[in-house]
Amino acid sequence: MNADRVLEDLRELARLTGGPDGARRVCWTDEWTKAREFLRSRLGELPVDMTVDAAGNLWAAMEGESDGFVIVGSHVDSVPAGGWLDGALGVFTAVEALRTQAEHGTPPVGLRLVDWADEEGARFGRSLFGSSSCAGTLDPDEVRELRDRDGERLEDVLARYDVELDRAHESGAGLRGARAYLEIHIEQGPVLEASGEPAAAVLGTFGVERHLAVFTGETAHAGATPMGMRRDTFMAASQAALAIREVGFAHDGGVCTVGGATSEPGVVTAVAGRTEMLLDQRHLDPDTLAAMLAGAREACERAAADHGCEVELKHLWSIPPIPFDDRLIRLARESVEAAGGKDTAIPSGPLHDAAEMARLIPTVMIFSSSSPPVSHTKEEDTPEADLRVAIEAYGRTVSGMLERAAAGELPPRE
Ligand SMILES: [Zn+2]
Protein backbone atom coordinates (compact mmCIF):
# COMPACT_ATOMS: atom_id res chain seq x y z
CA MET A 1 0.00 0.00 0.00
CA ASN A 2 1.22 3.46 -0.86
CA ALA A 3 -0.17 5.78 1.83
CA ASP A 4 1.05 8.83 -0.12
CA ARG A 5 -1.45 8.12 -2.89
CA VAL A 6 -4.30 7.77 -0.37
CA LEU A 7 -3.40 11.08 1.27
CA GLU A 8 -3.11 12.77 -2.14
CA ASP A 9 -6.59 11.54 -3.14
CA LEU A 10 -8.07 12.65 0.19
CA ARG A 11 -6.55 16.11 -0.13
CA GLU A 12 -7.78 16.42 -3.70
CA LEU A 13 -11.28 15.39 -2.63
CA ALA A 14 -11.18 17.96 0.18
CA ARG A 15 -10.09 20.60 -2.33
CA LEU A 16 -12.96 19.71 -4.69
CA THR A 17 -15.76 19.29 -2.14
CA GLY A 18 -14.50 20.87 1.09
CA GLY A 19 -12.61 23.97 2.09
CA PRO A 20 -12.38 26.28 5.09
CA ASP A 21 -15.99 25.54 6.08
CA GLY A 22 -15.54 21.77 5.97
CA ALA A 23 -16.74 18.96 3.70
CA ARG A 24 -20.10 19.43 1.97
CA ARG A 25 -20.68 16.08 0.33
CA VAL A 26 -24.24 15.65 1.59
CA CYS A 27 -25.78 12.65 -0.15
CA TRP A 28 -28.30 13.28 -2.94
CA THR A 29 -26.81 16.71 -3.77
CA ASP A 30 -24.56 18.04 -6.56
CA GLU A 31 -21.52 18.12 -4.27
CA TRP A 32 -21.97 14.41 -3.59
CA THR A 33 -22.19 13.76 -7.34
CA LYS A 34 -18.96 15.71 -7.73
CA ALA A 35 -17.25 13.57 -5.08
CA ARG A 36 -18.46 10.45 -6.88
CA GLU A 37 -17.15 11.78 -10.21
CA PHE A 38 -13.73 12.18 -8.63
CA LEU A 39 -13.96 8.63 -7.23
CA ARG A 40 -14.96 7.34 -10.68
CA SER A 41 -12.00 9.12 -12.26
CA ARG A 42 -9.63 7.34 -9.87
CA LEU A 43 -11.33 3.97 -10.37
CA GLY A 44 -11.26 4.53 -14.13
CA GLU A 45 -7.48 4.09 -14.02
CA LEU A 46 -7.94 0.52 -12.75
CA PRO A 47 -9.03 -2.77 -14.36
CA VAL A 48 -12.50 -2.72 -12.77
CA ASP A 49 -16.16 -2.86 -13.81
CA MET A 50 -18.14 0.01 -12.32
CA THR A 51 -21.87 -0.25 -11.61
CA VAL A 52 -24.44 1.58 -9.50
CA ASP A 53 -26.91 -0.77 -7.79
CA ALA A 54 -30.63 -0.36 -7.05
CA ALA A 55 -29.91 1.55 -3.81
CA GLY A 56 -27.47 3.99 -5.41
CA ASN A 57 -24.33 2.25 -4.11
CA LEU A 58 -21.32 2.49 -6.42
CA TRP A 59 -19.43 -0.78 -6.97
CA ALA A 60 -16.08 -1.38 -8.68
CA ALA A 61 -15.34 -5.06 -9.28
CA MET A 62 -11.92 -6.53 -9.94
CA GLU A 63 -11.77 -10.13 -11.15
CA GLY A 64 -9.86 -12.71 -9.14
CA GLU A 65 -8.33 -16.10 -9.92
CA SER A 66 -11.16 -17.95 -8.19
CA ASP A 67 -14.80 -17.16 -7.67
CA GLY A 68 -16.32 -14.93 -5.03
CA PHE A 69 -14.94 -11.65 -3.75
CA VAL A 70 -13.85 -9.67 -0.72
CA ILE A 71 -15.58 -6.28 -0.29
CA VAL A 72 -13.72 -3.14 0.77
CA GLY A 73 -15.42 0.22 1.13
CA SER A 74 -17.05 3.02 3.08
CA HIS A 75 -18.88 6.22 2.09
CA VAL A 76 -17.92 9.48 0.31
CA ASP A 77 -20.98 11.34 1.60
CA SER A 78 -20.54 13.66 4.58
CA VAL A 79 -22.57 15.77 6.96
CA PRO A 80 -22.79 19.48 6.04
CA ALA A 81 -19.59 21.21 7.23
CA GLY A 82 -18.10 17.79 7.98
CA GLY A 83 -14.52 16.57 8.19
CA TRP A 84 -12.15 15.46 5.44
CA LEU A 85 -11.68 11.87 6.71
CA ASP A 86 -15.07 10.55 7.85
CA GLY A 87 -15.98 7.97 5.21
CA ALA A 88 -13.57 9.33 2.60
CA LEU A 89 -10.63 7.61 4.33
CA GLY A 90 -12.39 4.27 3.91
CA VAL A 91 -13.21 4.79 0.26
CA PHE A 92 -9.82 6.06 -0.90
CA THR A 93 -7.88 3.49 1.14
CA ALA A 94 -10.05 0.90 -0.59
CA VAL A 95 -9.11 2.45 -3.96
CA GLU A 96 -5.46 2.06 -3.00
CA ALA A 97 -6.06 -1.59 -2.04
CA LEU A 98 -7.44 -2.22 -5.55
CA ARG A 99 -4.58 -0.28 -7.12
CA THR A 100 -1.99 -2.29 -5.16
CA GLN A 101 -3.62 -5.59 -6.12
CA ALA A 102 -3.77 -4.55 -9.79
CA GLU A 103 -0.05 -3.74 -9.74
CA HIS A 104 0.67 -7.25 -8.50
CA GLY A 105 -1.40 -9.04 -11.15
CA THR A 106 -4.70 -10.80 -10.47
CA PRO A 107 -5.83 -11.23 -6.85
CA PRO A 108 -6.48 -14.83 -5.67
CA VAL A 109 -10.21 -14.08 -5.36
CA GLY A 110 -12.16 -11.06 -6.59
CA LEU A 111 -11.93 -7.70 -4.84
CA ARG A 112 -14.85 -5.25 -4.88
CA LEU A 113 -14.97 -1.68 -3.74
CA VAL A 114 -18.26 -0.21 -2.58
CA ASP A 115 -19.14 3.43 -1.93
CA TRP A 116 -22.34 3.18 0.13
CA ALA A 117 -25.01 5.77 -0.62
CA ASP A 118 -26.17 8.05 2.19
CA GLU A 119 -24.34 6.63 5.19
CA GLU A 120 -24.84 9.86 7.11
CA GLY A 121 -28.54 10.45 6.53
CA ALA A 122 -27.70 14.15 6.69
CA ARG A 123 -30.51 15.33 4.43
CA PHE A 124 -33.40 13.09 5.53
CA GLY A 125 -32.31 11.89 8.97
CA ARG A 126 -32.08 8.16 8.13
CA SER A 127 -28.49 6.83 8.31
CA LEU A 128 -27.09 3.81 6.44
CA PHE A 129 -29.57 3.98 3.54
CA GLY A 130 -27.42 2.16 0.98
CA SER A 131 -25.96 -0.52 3.22
CA SER A 132 -29.22 -1.27 5.02
CA SER A 133 -31.01 -1.57 1.66
CA CYS A 134 -28.32 -4.00 0.59
CA ALA A 135 -28.59 -5.96 3.85
CA GLY A 136 -32.40 -6.03 3.57
CA THR A 137 -33.01 -4.23 6.88
CA LEU A 138 -34.48 -1.02 5.44
CA ASP A 139 -38.27 -0.82 5.47
CA PRO A 140 -39.26 1.52 2.59
CA ASP A 141 -42.48 2.50 4.36
CA GLU A 142 -40.53 3.80 7.33
CA VAL A 143 -38.64 6.32 5.22
CA ARG A 144 -41.00 7.03 2.32
CA GLU A 145 -42.49 10.18 3.81
CA LEU A 146 -39.27 11.59 5.23
CA ARG A 147 -38.75 15.17 4.09
CA ASP A 148 -35.72 17.42 3.98
CA ARG A 149 -35.65 20.98 5.31
CA ASP A 150 -37.19 22.29 2.09
CA GLY A 151 -40.08 19.84 2.35
CA GLU A 152 -38.87 17.54 -0.44
CA ARG A 153 -39.78 13.87 -0.03
CA LEU A 154 -37.04 11.25 0.20
CA GLU A 155 -38.77 9.07 -2.38
CA ASP A 156 -38.92 11.91 -4.95
CA VAL A 157 -35.31 12.96 -4.43
CA LEU A 158 -34.10 9.35 -4.76
CA ALA A 159 -35.99 9.04 -8.06
CA ARG A 160 -33.90 11.92 -9.43
CA TYR A 161 -30.86 9.75 -8.79
CA ASP A 162 -32.49 6.75 -10.51
CA VAL A 163 -33.16 5.01 -7.19
CA GLU A 164 -36.63 3.54 -6.89
CA LEU A 165 -37.30 3.24 -3.17
CA ASP A 166 -39.35 0.04 -3.42
CA ARG A 167 -36.62 -1.65 -5.45
CA ALA A 168 -33.65 -0.50 -3.34
CA HIS A 169 -33.50 -3.91 -1.61
CA GLU A 170 -32.55 -5.46 -4.98
CA SER A 171 -29.11 -4.11 -4.15
CA GLY A 172 -28.78 -7.22 -1.95
CA ALA A 173 -28.33 -9.43 -5.03
CA GLY A 174 -24.84 -7.93 -5.30
CA LEU A 175 -23.79 -9.84 -2.19
CA ARG A 176 -24.05 -13.20 -3.97
CA GLY A 177 -20.45 -14.43 -3.93
CA ALA A 178 -19.34 -12.05 -1.17
CA ARG A 179 -16.82 -13.65 1.18
CA ALA A 180 -15.98 -10.91 3.68
CA TYR A 181 -16.16 -7.14 4.28
CA LEU A 182 -13.49 -4.71 5.50
CA GLU A 183 -13.79 -1.00 6.30
CA ILE A 184 -11.31 1.51 7.66
CA HIS A 185 -12.65 4.59 9.45
CA ILE A 186 -11.49 7.25 11.86
CA GLU A 187 -12.41 6.44 15.46
CA GLN A 188 -14.38 9.72 15.90
CA GLY A 189 -13.70 9.53 19.66
CA PRO A 190 -10.87 9.95 22.20
CA VAL A 191 -9.94 6.35 23.15
CA LEU A 192 -6.96 5.78 20.83
CA GLU A 193 -5.62 9.30 21.24
CA ALA A 194 -5.71 8.88 25.04
CA SER A 195 -3.79 5.60 24.91
CA GLY A 196 -1.32 6.97 22.36
CA GLU A 197 -2.22 4.34 19.76
CA PRO A 198 -2.33 5.14 16.05
CA ALA A 199 -4.86 2.47 15.06
CA ALA A 200 -6.79 -0.56 16.31
CA ALA A 201 -9.00 -3.41 15.20
CA VAL A 202 -12.70 -2.95 15.95
CA LEU A 203 -14.71 -5.53 17.93
CA GLY A 204 -18.14 -4.52 16.66
CA THR A 205 -20.68 -1.77 17.07
CA PHE A 206 -22.43 -0.97 20.33
CA GLY A 207 -26.03 -1.93 20.91
CA VAL A 208 -28.15 1.12 21.64
CA GLU A 209 -31.19 1.68 23.89
CA ARG A 210 -32.92 5.06 23.62
CA HIS A 211 -35.71 6.11 25.96
CA LEU A 212 -37.62 9.16 27.04
CA ALA A 213 -38.17 9.26 30.81
CA VAL A 214 -41.37 11.18 31.54
CA PHE A 215 -41.67 12.39 35.16
CA THR A 216 -45.04 13.69 36.34
CA GLY A 217 -45.54 15.56 39.60
CA GLU A 218 -47.37 18.76 40.39
CA THR A 219 -46.92 22.29 39.13
CA ALA A 220 -46.96 24.63 42.13
CA HIS A 221 -46.22 28.26 43.07
CA ALA A 222 -42.51 28.77 43.78
CA GLY A 223 -43.23 31.12 46.67
CA ALA A 224 -46.27 29.52 48.25
CA THR A 225 -45.14 25.86 48.29
CA PRO A 226 -42.84 24.84 51.20
CA MET A 227 -39.86 22.62 50.27
CA GLY A 228 -41.23 19.54 51.96
CA MET A 229 -44.58 19.75 50.18
CA ARG A 230 -43.43 19.70 46.57
CA ARG A 231 -43.70 17.06 43.85
CA ASP A 232 -40.86 18.50 41.80
CA THR A 233 -40.17 16.60 38.57
CA PHE A 234 -37.06 18.61 37.76
CA MET A 235 -35.48 17.46 41.04
CA ALA A 236 -36.54 13.86 40.37
CA ALA A 237 -35.04 13.95 36.88
CA SER A 238 -31.83 15.53 38.19
CA GLN A 239 -31.42 12.86 40.86
CA ALA A 240 -32.11 10.16 38.25
CA ALA A 241 -29.58 11.67 35.81
CA LEU A 242 -26.81 11.60 38.42
CA ALA A 243 -27.68 8.01 39.35
CA ILE A 244 -27.68 6.99 35.68
CA ARG A 245 -24.18 8.40 35.38
CA GLU A 246 -23.15 5.92 38.09
CA VAL A 247 -24.85 3.11 36.11
CA GLY A 248 -22.50 4.00 33.24
CA PHE A 249 -19.44 3.88 35.51
CA ALA A 250 -20.58 0.57 37.05
CA HIS A 251 -20.68 -1.25 33.70
CA ASP A 252 -17.23 -1.36 32.19
CA GLY A 253 -17.18 -0.44 28.51
CA GLY A 254 -20.68 1.03 28.63
CA VAL A 255 -21.90 4.59 28.19
CA CYS A 256 -25.02 6.30 29.51
CA THR A 257 -25.97 9.76 28.27
CA VAL A 258 -28.73 12.03 29.48
CA GLY A 259 -28.75 14.25 26.43
CA GLY A 260 -31.20 16.80 27.74
CA ALA A 261 -34.38 17.48 29.65
CA THR A 262 -37.34 19.80 29.25
CA SER A 263 -39.57 20.90 32.09
CA GLU A 264 -43.06 22.34 32.12
CA PRO A 265 -44.19 24.98 32.67
CA GLY A 266 -40.52 26.00 32.55
CA VAL A 267 -40.88 29.37 34.28
CA VAL A 268 -38.87 30.78 37.15
CA THR A 269 -41.86 31.10 39.49
CA ALA A 270 -43.14 27.51 39.31
CA VAL A 271 -42.18 24.04 40.52
CA ALA A 272 -41.92 21.88 37.39
CA GLY A 273 -44.93 19.56 37.18
CA ARG A 274 -43.63 17.58 34.23
CA THR A 275 -40.12 16.81 33.00
CA GLU A 276 -39.08 14.78 29.97
CA MET A 277 -35.52 13.45 30.01
CA LEU A 278 -33.62 11.92 27.04
CA LEU A 279 -31.62 8.77 27.73
CA ASP A 280 -29.16 6.95 25.44
CA GLN A 281 -27.30 3.80 26.60
CA ARG A 282 -24.76 1.72 24.69
CA HIS A 283 -22.73 -1.44 25.19
CA LEU A 284 -21.14 -4.17 23.07
CA ASP A 285 -22.62 -6.99 25.19
CA PRO A 286 -26.41 -7.52 24.99
CA ASP A 287 -26.79 -8.77 28.60
CA THR A 288 -24.79 -5.87 30.00
CA LEU A 289 -26.85 -3.44 27.93
CA ALA A 290 -30.03 -4.98 29.36
CA ALA A 291 -28.59 -4.65 32.88
CA MET A 292 -27.73 -0.99 32.21
CA LEU A 293 -31.29 -0.32 31.08
CA ALA A 294 -32.66 -2.05 34.19
CA GLY A 295 -30.32 0.10 36.29
CA ALA A 296 -31.54 3.28 34.64
CA ARG A 297 -35.18 2.27 35.11
CA GLU A 298 -34.56 1.61 38.80
CA ALA A 299 -32.78 4.95 39.18
CA CYS A 300 -35.74 6.77 37.61
CA GLU A 301 -38.27 4.96 39.79
CA ARG A 302 -36.34 5.61 43.01
CA ALA A 303 -35.87 9.29 42.15
CA ALA A 304 -39.57 9.65 41.29
CA ALA A 305 -40.59 8.02 44.58
CA ASP A 306 -38.18 10.24 46.58
CA HIS A 307 -39.87 13.32 45.15
CA GLY A 308 -43.48 12.14 45.22
CA CYS A 309 -43.61 11.86 41.43
CA GLU A 310 -44.40 9.18 38.87
CA VAL A 311 -42.20 8.13 35.98
CA GLU A 312 -42.70 6.27 32.73
CA LEU A 313 -39.92 5.14 30.39
CA LYS A 314 -41.00 5.47 26.76
CA HIS A 315 -39.03 3.42 24.23
CA LEU A 316 -37.66 5.57 21.39
CA TRP A 317 -35.31 3.31 19.43
CA SER A 318 -32.93 0.42 19.92
CA ILE A 319 -30.51 -1.76 18.00
CA PRO A 320 -28.71 -4.86 19.29
CA PRO A 321 -24.91 -4.96 19.51
CA ILE A 322 -23.40 -6.20 16.24
CA PRO A 323 -20.14 -8.10 16.87
CA PHE A 324 -17.59 -8.48 14.09
CA ASP A 325 -15.98 -11.78 13.01
CA ASP A 326 -13.51 -13.23 15.57
CA ARG A 327 -11.10 -14.60 12.94
CA LEU A 328 -11.00 -11.29 11.10
CA ILE A 329 -10.62 -9.32 14.33
CA ARG A 330 -7.54 -11.44 15.09
CA LEU A 331 -6.19 -10.80 11.58
CA ALA A 332 -6.79 -7.05 11.89
CA ARG A 333 -5.12 -6.92 15.33
CA GLU A 334 -2.04 -8.71 13.98
CA SER A 335 -2.00 -6.37 10.98
CA VAL A 336 -2.14 -3.26 13.18
CA GLU A 337 0.77 -4.59 15.23
CA ALA A 338 2.80 -5.49 12.13
CA ALA A 339 2.16 -1.97 10.77
CA GLY A 340 3.69 -0.34 13.85
CA GLY A 341 0.71 -0.10 16.22
CA LYS A 342 -0.27 -2.24 19.19
CA ASP A 343 -2.26 -5.46 19.30
CA THR A 344 -5.56 -3.94 20.44
CA ALA A 345 -9.22 -3.93 19.58
CA ILE A 346 -11.89 -1.48 20.73
CA PRO A 347 -15.66 -1.32 20.27
CA SER A 348 -17.29 1.29 18.05
CA GLY A 349 -19.73 3.72 19.62
CA PRO A 350 -21.01 5.09 16.30
CA LEU A 351 -22.82 2.84 13.83
CA HIS A 352 -21.18 2.10 10.48
CA ASP A 353 -22.09 0.49 7.15
CA ALA A 354 -19.92 -2.41 8.35
CA ALA A 355 -22.58 -3.20 10.98
CA GLU A 356 -25.10 -3.87 8.20
CA MET A 357 -22.63 -6.15 6.40
CA ALA A 358 -21.75 -7.96 9.65
CA ARG A 359 -25.32 -9.27 9.77
CA LEU A 360 -24.63 -11.26 6.59
CA ILE A 361 -20.91 -11.84 5.97
CA PRO A 362 -17.71 -12.03 8.07
CA THR A 363 -16.80 -8.41 8.73
CA VAL A 364 -14.17 -6.35 10.49
CA MET A 365 -13.12 -2.71 10.73
CA ILE A 366 -9.89 -0.87 11.47
CA PHE A 367 -9.93 2.50 13.25
CA SER A 368 -7.29 5.17 12.97
CA SER A 369 -7.03 7.57 15.89
CA SER A 370 -8.93 10.87 15.85
CA SER A 371 -6.97 13.87 17.05
CA PRO A 372 -8.55 16.21 17.99
CA PRO A 373 -10.98 13.45 19.01
CA VAL A 374 -14.01 14.94 17.26
CA SER A 375 -15.94 14.24 14.05
CA HIS A 376 -18.84 15.63 12.03
CA THR A 377 -17.04 18.98 12.19
CA LYS A 378 -14.37 20.61 10.08
CA GLU A 379 -11.93 20.30 13.03
CA GLU A 380 -11.88 16.53 12.52
CA ASP A 381 -8.30 15.32 11.92
CA THR A 382 -5.79 12.50 12.40
CA PRO A 383 -1.99 12.82 12.55
CA GLU A 384 -0.49 11.73 9.23
CA ALA A 385 1.77 9.20 11.00
CA ASP A 386 -1.31 7.49 12.49
CA LEU A 387 -3.06 7.43 9.12
CA ARG A 388 -0.02 5.72 7.62
CA VAL A 389 -0.08 2.97 10.27
CA ALA A 390 -3.82 2.44 9.79
CA ILE A 391 -3.52 2.33 5.98
CA GLU A 392 -0.64 -0.15 6.17
CA ALA A 393 -2.61 -2.31 8.63
CA TYR A 394 -5.56 -2.23 6.22
CA GLY A 395 -3.40 -3.37 3.30
CA ARG A 396 -2.11 -6.28 5.35
CA THR A 397 -5.64 -7.19 6.39
CA VAL A 398 -6.83 -7.16 2.77
CA SER A 399 -3.97 -9.48 1.76
CA GLY A 400 -4.74 -11.78 4.69
CA MET A 401 -8.43 -11.88 3.78
CA LEU A 402 -7.70 -12.66 0.12
CA GLU A 403 -5.32 -15.48 1.13
CA ARG A 404 -7.81 -16.97 3.57
CA ALA A 405 -10.58 -16.67 1.05
CA ALA A 406 -8.47 -18.48 -1.55
CA ALA A 407 -7.70 -21.18 1.04
CA GLY A 408 -11.44 -21.78 1.43
CA GLU A 409 -11.77 -20.24 4.92
CA LEU A 410 -14.22 -17.53 3.84
CA PRO A 411 -16.70 -19.26 1.52
CA PRO A 412 -18.69 -17.16 -0.97
CA ARG A 413 -22.22 -16.24 0.08
CA GLU A 414 -24.95 -18.13 -1.81
ZN1 LIG B 1 -18.51 7.69 8.52
Side-chain angles (χ1 to χ4, degrees):
M1 296 279 280
N2 182 340
D4 286 337
R5 295 193 293 207
V6 179
L7 294 169
E8 253 166 54
D9 285 351
L10 288 168
R11 286 185 185 122
E12 178 65 5
L13 178 73
R15 199 185 61 75
L16 289 168
T17 60
D21 296 326
R24 38 174 202 270
R25 300 181 291 276
V26 175
C27 200
W28 322 118
T29 67
D30 292 348
E31 293 285 343
W32 174 67
T33 304
K34 204 180 196 185
R36 275 236 164 136
E37 272 165 17
F38 174 62
L39 173 60
R40 280 172 180 279
S41 76
R42 285 295 183 261
L43 290 169
E45 298 160 3
L46 303 173
V48 294
D49 261 347
M50 273 185 267
T51 48
V52 174
D53 71 17
N57 304 310
L58 174 68
W59 294 85
M62 185 180 283
E63 288 291 318
E65 270 160 16
S66 30
D67 64 338
F69 52 90
V70 166
I71 306 173
V72 288
S74 194
H75 60 98
V76 297
D77 76 308
S78 75
V79 296
W84 71 299
L85 295 170
D86 180 354
L89 173 65
V91 172
F92 287 92
T93 309
V95 170
E96 176 60 20
L98 265 63
R99 216 184 258 139
T100 306
Q101 289 298 324
E103 285 167 358
H104 289 85
T106 308
V109 302
L111 189 58
R112 278 190 197 179
L113 176 147
V114 62
D115 167 29
W116 299 111
D118 207 0
E119 191 273 346
E120 299 287 2
R123 185 165 169 188
F124 293 97
R126 172 43 157 108
S127 311
L128 310 180
F129 175 83
S131 54
S132 64
S133 297
C134 187
T137 57
L138 181 96
D139 176 359
D141 291 331
E142 262 176 33
V143 299
R144 195 179 311 278
E145 297 303 326
L146 290 178
R147 285 170 194 269
D148 69 6
R149 256 189 237 168
D150 301 326
E152 288 209 80
R153 287 171 74 240
L154 171 83
E155 189 172 21
D156 301 338
V157 171
L158 291 183
R160 259 176 259 151
Y161 289 83
D162 297 322
V163 175
E164 218 180 297
L165 181 58
D166 286 308
R167 298 184 60 180
H169 67 274
E170 290 173 16
S171 153
L175 293 183
R176 202 171 302 126
R179 292 169 173 272
Y181 178 82
L182 173 66
E183 180 169 353
I184 183 175
H185 206 281
I186 51 168
E187 182 202 337
Q188 303 178 283
V191 175
L192 293 177
E193 187 195 49
S195 60
E197 294 183 54
V202 183
L203 294 164
T205 54
F206 275 167
V208 185
E209 286 285 358
R210 278 187 202 150
H211 289 83
L212 182 71
V214 182
F215 293 87
T216 36
E218 194 170 37
T219 302
H221 193 287
T225 320
M227 294 305 288
M229 298 174 73
R230 297 179 175 202
R231 299 174 58 207
D232 188 335
T233 58
F234 182 76
M235 288 304 128
S238 305
Q239 183 181 318
L242 290 171
I244 286 167
R245 178 171 178 266
E246 297 309 317
V247 170
F249 277 118
H251 294 89
D252 206 24
V255 286
C256 295
T257 306
V258 173
T262 18
S263 292
E264 289 170 24
V267 294
V268 72
T269 50
V271 173
R274 179 186 168 94
T275 298
E276 294 189 352
M277 186 176 82
L278 290 162
L279 174 63
D280 177 292
Q281 299 181 286
R282 304 183 190 214
H283 203 283
L284 191 61
D285 176 65
D287 296 337
T288 312
L289 183 59
M292 284 165 57
L293 175 57
R297 191 182 296 279
E298 221 181 282
C300 288
E301 282 164 4
R302 188 170 322 129
D306 285 355
H307 293 272
C309 301
E310 265 103 61
V311 67
E312 189 195 346
L313 239 58
K314 289 190 177 162
H315 178 255
L316 294 178
W317 182 75
S318 50
I319 186 169
I322 301 178
F324 293 156
D325 185 84
D326 283 335
R327 297 162 298 173
L328 296 182
I329 292 170
R330 214 171 309 127
L331 171 64
R333 292 175 73 130
E334 288 163 7
S335 300
V336 170
E337 197 179 18
K342 280 189 211 149
D343 175 6
T344 30
I346 61 170
S348 172
L351 279 171
H352 290 286
D353 294 310
E356 291 292 348
M357 287 302 99
R359 300 172 190 267
L360 304 174
I361 50 176
T363 291
V364 76
M365 290 184 79
I366 290 174
F367 276 169
S368 76
S369 73
S370 285
S371 179
V374 294
S375 189
H376 287 183
T377 155
K378 63 182 164 51
E379 275 75 35
E380 167 193 295
D381 206 1
T382 300
E384 198 179 297
D386 291 10
L387 287 174
R388 288 176 186 277
V389 171
I391 292 166
E392 175 62 21
Y394 181 91
R396 287 170 182 266
T397 307
V398 172
S399 301
M401 285 165 96
L402 291 171
E403 274 165 33
R404 281 160 204 226
E409 275 178 51
L410 300 163
R413 187 178 150 80
E414 307 266 307

